[in-house]
Amino acid sequence: MEYRIEKDTMGTVNVPANKYWGAQTERSRNNFKIGAEASMPLEVVYGFAFLKKAAAYTNCDLGVLPSEKRDLIAAVCDEILEGKHDNQFPLVIWQTGSGTQSNMNVNEVVANRAHEIVGKVIGEGEKTIQPNDDVNKSQSSNDTFPTGMHIACYKMVVETTIPGVEKLRDTFKEKAEAFKDVVKIGRTHLMDATPLTVGQEFSGYVSQLNHGLKALNNTLEHLSELALGGTAVGTGLNTPAGYDVLVAKYIAEFTGQPFITAENKFEALAAHDAIVETHGALKQLAVSLNKIANDIRMMASGPRSGIGELIIPANEPGSSIMPGKVNPTQCEALTMVCAQVMGNDVAVTVGGTQGHYELNVFKPMMAANLLQSARLIGDACVSFSDNCAIGIEPNHKVIKELLNNSLMLVTALNTKIGYYKAAEIANTAHENGTTLKEEAIRLGYVSAEDYDAWVKPEGMTGGLK
């Protein structure tokens, strides 16, 4: 491999000749060989591209950067956003907690690519654009990384997570309506309880996801606040007047999202409560989705020796040794995603506590975990909707058999003959292996006509459909 010499304030470094990054990126690449597959998410890199372009426009508008340099910086940022330079960002998550090296990675790539755009050879002569003085003008890693991660996380949530959850929610809503008259036995403590409809059961899933979506949407206002303009410690040192508000406006324009400057830059640098809050909402969704997926796979268990109340799509063979076996694979995939998100939440929570004085130093890990969780939930909801939920059907025969066999239908007699006599009927029927009706009549507590009039499963589901 051929190398060129790049230098920074610590001296010279050999950098691969075919790469745009410079000395600081190479130092980090060599010093943090931790988790080769744990690269800084490209979403964060793209967040940097948006903010570097916005900073260039703002600095130009405020008279501290020539328009020629603005246009060069913006051109390279556009190339980054088009995915043309994805292989130029080799750094891992496990680096400095402020993300300084990733900030410089972007600065160096922009500077060297700009040098190339104007027809010069990288590594020869003075750089056309300086990484620190031009690309990083009016910025610090301490305010650019939180800005980049807010851009990345906000976009992931609104473009991937929310649409995915809404799709699954809508599928369950359709099923709740379709199954509103299918009466089944309810279960509490995993034991037989009083009846409800399959539609009512599914309506609970719809409500869970609606509450999760509401919680997630409520975090977006805080997540939309950007740290840019706070520079090193939140004071805005070395920024021109009005920079923070104007740069946020440019970011909003370039991303198409309602970003604003953070009201308090000291919070924006030292605390990442917005990330903790947003991931907390993702955890809430994970808890809901785990419950839903477990319900469905248990109700679909069997098909002959389990509960078997629901029929789920048979997507692929379930065993390499048992012919004809089909497993609830989408349920398993979704619950594994939920477990990962819950684990990520622990790491994000710990990361949120690491705001020492004026700077939180767990930024890369917090950003990476939130991005992974947000994408996983969005993708898993789409997969579950398309490959499982949309094809769920009630097994009417099994549902009717289990319903009629349940002793808990006796609850309908409580108001007619009292709890204790009703309990005697249920216990005796269970002991003798007989039906509720048989024992109710034999014990002399009700007539056959009264039993048929009073014990109607469809009348025990209440008014909610």
Side-chain angles (χ1 to χ4, degrees):
M1 180 181 292
E2 294 184 3
Y3 292 88
R4 70 175 189 275
I5 296 176
E6 287 270 351
K7 62 181 180 179
D8 58 15
T9 56
M10 296 185 70
T12 61
V13 179
N14 287 329
V15 176
N18 62 342
K19 300 299 183 182
Y20 290 126
W21 68 70
Q24 291 198 48
T25 302
E26 188 67 12
R27 290 187 193 281
S28 180
R29 196 164 76 98
N30 291 328
N31 291 337
F32 297 97
K33 294 180 180 180
I34 306 172
E37 302 303 318
S39 297
M40 185 65 65
L42 282 171
E43 290 83 6
V44 173
V45 172
Y46 298 153
F48 269 104
F50 279 120
L51 76 88
K52 296 294 179 183
K53 179 179 178 180
Y57 269 80
T58 302
N59 284 324
C60 183
D61 288 356
L62 297 178
V64 295
L65 185 73
S67 60
E68 297 83 4
K69 291 187 174 183
R70 174 201 66 190
D71 293 342
L72 276 173
I73 293 170
V76 181
C77 289
D78 287 340
E79 290 182 352
I80 293 172
L81 291 169
E82 291 167 7
K84 293 181 178 180
H85 304 303
D86 288 354
N87 64 347
Q88 299 294 327
F89 304 97
L91 302 187
V92 295
I93 298 162
W94 318 111
Q95 54 169 279
T96 176
S98 64
T100 298
Q101 282 85 43
S102 282
N103 178 43
M104 286 308 304
N105 186 183
V106 177
N107 291 336
E108 290 173 345
V109 169
V110 171
N112 280 328
R113 173 57 184 151
H115 195 67
E116 185 179 69
I117 286 176
V118 298
K120 297 181 180 179
V121 177
I122 298 174
E124 295 184 6
E126 184 178 351
K127 293 182 186 294
T128 305
I129 298 288
Q130 291 294 329
N132 293 80
D133 291 337
D134 297 322
V135 188
N136 201 62
K137 183 177 286 292
S138 306
Q139 303 154 58
S140 161
S141 298
N142 295 350
D143 67 349
T144 58
F145 199 96
T147 298
M149 74 180 185
H150 271 226
I151 295 170
C153 293
Y154 190 102
K155 283 173 61 62
M156 182 68 77
V157 167
V158 300
E159 294 173 4
T160 300
T161 314
I162 291 175
V165 177
E166 287 177 339
K167 181 171 188 175
L168 182 57
R169 186 270 318 270
D170 292 345
T171 298
F172 281 132
K173 190 174 182 180
E174 292 172 3
K175 294 296 179 180
E177 177 63 25
F179 304 152
K180 65 181 181 180
D181 296 321
V182 181
V183 182
K184 58 160 288 185
I185 196 64
R187 295 180 182 86
T188 59
H189 305 268
L190 297 180
M191 308 298 283
D192 297 352
T194 55
L196 76 167
T197 70
V198 179
Q200 288 172 329
E201 207 161 37
F202 276 53
S203 77
Y205 306 154
V206 174
S207 183
Q208 278 189 282
L209 295 182
N210 274 333
H211 282 108
L213 285 166
K214 182 178 180 180
L216 189 57
N217 275 296
N218 285 343
T219 70
L220 292 178
E221 181 178 356
H222 198 181
L223 197 60
S224 70
E225 296 182 4
L226 303 180
L228 206 58
T231 62
V233 297
T235 60
L237 179 67
N238 291 349
T239 61
Y243 171 85
D244 58 343
V245 174
L246 185 56
V247 77
K249 286 182 179 179
Y250 271 119
I251 291 173
E253 176 185 338
F254 296 153
T255 62
Q257 302 295 347
F259 290 110
I260 58 173
T261 191
E263 181 178 352
N264 189 297
K265 304 300 190 301
F266 305 103
E267 179 209 8
L269 271 63
H272 293 313
D273 295 349
I275 299 294
V276 176
E277 179 185 14
T278 301
H279 203 284
L282 294 173
K283 181 188 69 174
Q284 177 182 335
L285 279 166
V287 169
S288 296
L289 290 166
N290 197 81
K291 190 270 188 203
I292 293 166
N294 275 335
D295 276 8
I296 289 172
R297 70 169 155 188
M298 287 190 288
M299 285 190 284
S301 62
R304 295 190 177 184
S305 300
I307 294 175
E309 290 179 332
L310 296 181
I311 301 170
I312 60 175
N315 294 327
E316 59 270 321
S319 172
S320 61
I321 190 173
M322 293 174 281
K325 194 175 193 301
V326 176
N327 295 328
T329 53
Q330 289 294 320
C331 296
E332 292 164 3
L334 181 55
T335 50
M336 283 192 287
V337 162
C338 294
Q340 183 65 56
V341 172
M342 293 176 201
N344 285 352
D345 192 68
V346 174
V348 169
T349 301
V350 172
T353 68
Q354 303 304 303
H356 304 139
Y357 300 116
E358 278 64 64
L359 189 68
N360 178 285
V361 292
F362 271 48
K363 301 179 194 296
M365 180 276 287
M366 295 180 73
N369 276 16
L370 193 150
L371 288 167
Q372 184 191 45
S373 294
R375 182 178 291 283
L376 283 174
I377 286 181
D379 289 352
C381 283
V382 171
S383 180
F384 194 84
S385 178
D386 290 347
N387 298 303
C388 183
I390 196 70
I392 292 174
E393 293 294 337
N395 188 334
H396 294 281
K397 179 175 180 294
V398 171
I399 286 174
K400 186 174 182 180
E401 289 175 353
L402 294 176
L403 176 67
N404 292 335
N405 195 45
S406 173
L407 298 174
M408 291 305 98
L409 297 181
V410 77
T411 307
L413 296 177
N414 280 5
T415 59
K416 306 297 183 181
I417 63 173
Y419 177 89
Y420 295 103
K421 289 180 179 179
E424 184 182 355
I425 292 171
N427 291 333
T428 305
H430 184 54
E431 291 173 3
N432 296 337
T434 53
T435 67
L436 291 173
K437 184 175 181 180
E438 288 172 338
E439 293 301 337
I441 295 170
R442 188 186 67 78
L443 290 168
Y445 292 148
V446 298
S447 66
E449 293 76 14
D450 285 343
Y451 185 92
D452 290 339
W454 294 337
V455 183
K456 292 183 176 181
E458 64 275 10
M460 299 172 70
T461 62
L464 177 65
K465 289 292 187 179

